[in-house]
Amino acid sequence: TVGPRWGLPVAGFFSGFASPTAAVAGFGQRTRDDPTLTAAGASAALLANLASLLLMIGSIAAASPALLRASAWPLAAAAGMLAIAAAVGLHRQREAPQLPDEPAARAFKLSQGLLLALVIGVVLVLSAWLRSVFGDMGALATAVLVALVELHASAASIAQLSAVGGLTMAHAQWGVVGLLAASGIAKTVLAFVSGNRRYALYVGAGLVTMAIACAVVTWATMAGA
């Protein structure tokens, strides 16, 4: 509908509402198969994470409006960095990528799905153990650990703890930063595993910049309070 130049970024953004992790892996595999898609694929992966961040903001708003107000500027900075990094990738895509003559027979690879399910299962078991042993602060560590594979559930957990007084507002704000950092690290590693080196560097740079921007603005807003 939107042509080959914008097709991957638009698809990337909307895929982020389903699974940004799968998007990073899927677009990475495309760049490994066809290096000419590197810049567009990286932009698509970053836009998928932007959509995921918007969902995270919605989760926080539903569970703890106070935490959303306290973290509004840091989250806005994180979203802005993702948008800028994606725009840089689109600018570097000098030529419109070539579309295949016909779609692939399978949209997903079973091996990738099984590996992702295994990682999620292991992380969830470890996080449940941490929470049972260390209580509410263990729950904060658990949320950061779960963010390696599932950002939205982690954000909802921290927001709920903040709402009921299990975490101070300052701890909850830094918890949000920790979630973005953990998610960014995990997806950067995934980008290196699934895609070519340039793709991984583009995606990693965007995600690291996102987390740093959130941390810096969080620190600045706390210092100014």
Side-chain angles (χ1 to χ4, degrees):
T1 301
V2 298
R5 183 175 181 82
W6 296 99
L8 282 182
V10 170
F13 179 76
F14 286 105
S15 68
F17 289 109
S19 175
T21 302
V24 170
F27 289 119
Q29 185 60 52
R30 283 185 174 227
T31 65
R32 191 179 290 274
D33 296 337
D34 184 359
T36 64
L37 297 177
T38 295
S43 293
L46 291 171
L47 288 172
N49 282 276
L50 176 59
S52 179
L53 179 59
L54 296 179
L55 275 182
M56 173 184 168
I57 292 172
S59 298
I60 294 174
S64 177
L67 177 58
L68 178 63
R69 289 192 294 271
S71 301
W73 285 113
L75 289 172
M81 288 299 101
L82 282 177
I84 291 172
V88 170
L90 286 175
H91 177 71
R92 286 179 174 271
Q93 186 72 40
R94 302 293 184 181
E95 300 178 0
Q98 295 295 319
L99 293 177
D101 295 331
E102 58 184 30
R106 293 183 299 169
F108 303 101
K109 290 189 175 180
L110 180 60
S111 59
Q112 291 180 352
L114 291 175
L115 179 60
L116 182 59
L118 176 62
V119 172
I120 291 174
V122 170
V123 170
L124 290 178
V125 169
L126 289 175
S127 64
W129 176 75
L130 281 175
R131 183 164 191 168
S132 67
V133 172
F134 297 105
D136 286 342
M137 290 308 295
L140 178 58
T142 292
V144 174
L145 183 60
V146 172
L148 292 170
V149 293
E150 175 48 57
L151 181 62
H152 310 128
S154 302
S157 298
I158 286 183
Q160 288 169 357
L161 284 172
S162 173
V164 301
L167 289 174
T168 65
M169 186 58 69
H171 284 160
Q173 286 178 262
W174 283 113
V176 170
V177 175
L179 298 186
L180 292 182
S183 178
I185 290 171
K187 291 183 177 67
T188 297
V189 172
L190 182 60
F192 274 99
V193 171
S194 62
N196 63 46
R197 185 171 179 271
R198 287 179 57 234
Y199 169 82
L201 290 175
Y202 281 150
V203 173
L207 294 175
V208 169
T209 303
M210 168 197 72
I212 291 175
C214 186
V216 169
V217 177
T218 296
W219 174 81
T221 54
M222 287 184 174

